[in-house]
Amino acid sequence: MKRVITYGTFDLLHYGHINLLKRAKAMGDYLIVALSTDDFNEVEKGKKTYFTFEERRQLLEAIRYVDLVIPEESWDQKLTDVPLYQIDYFVMGDDWQGKFDFVGEKTEAEVVYLPRTPEISTSQIKADLNKRDSDD
């Protein structure tokens, strides 16, 4: 069985997220999504999410491509998750290109950066909503 893992915040879930999850799942038999916790997002990533961790978890668990959702609580966790879950493919969007090569160097997983869906992003959605609010 080929196992795949990906990491992210997955706030304001959109079709770009679904495309990434679908392509990640196509690489193996079992897809694990490590979902950034609220604390990790706020303290380490400097992000405030619209949906809570539990709400984002429920959304991800409802997607047919996702087999398991685990909490992501630190950057270093990737190096322990890969052997713990016997991961074959460590997958991230290509906006992270090169940032996680060390995972492949320190584990037996292959690191793959998948192209993002170019016309959509959570940051763009938030910017559009803020612009719409300021125009009202």
Side-chain angles (χ1 to χ4, degrees), residues 37-94:
T37 62
D38 296 333
D39 190 53
F40 180 57
N41 274 319
E42 196 168 330
V43 175
E44 294 296 324
K45 293 183 172 183
K47 290 182 180 181
K48 176 81 172 107
T49 59
Y50 182 82
F51 292 112
T52 67
F53 173 81
E54 285 305 321
E55 291 165 333
R56 292 180 287 119
R57 177 199 291 263
Q58 286 179 26
L59 289 166
L60 286 170
E61 287 174 342
I63 297 170
R64 68 179 174 190
Y65 309 115
V66 177
D67 295 296
L68 177 65
V69 178
I70 62 171
E72 178 190 23
E73 300 176 295
S74 75
W75 293 110
D76 299 333
Q77 175 180 334
K78 292 162 182 65
L79 291 176
T80 56
D81 285 348
V82 169
L84 177 65
Y85 292 99
Q86 302 171 351
I87 300 301
D88 298 289
Y89 298 102
F90 177 99
V91 176
M92 295 297 289
D94 64 1

Side-chain angles (χ1 to χ4, degrees), residues 10-21 59 63 116-117 119-125:
F10 297 96
D11 196 26
L12 301 179
L13 194 67
H14 54 71
Y15 66 90
H17 291 131
I18 302 300
N19 287 341
L20 178 75
L21 296 170
L59 289 166
I63 297 170
R116 295 178 62 92
T117 305
E119 70 277 5
I120 187 76
S121 74
T122 300
S123 299
Q124 186 61 50
I125 291 170

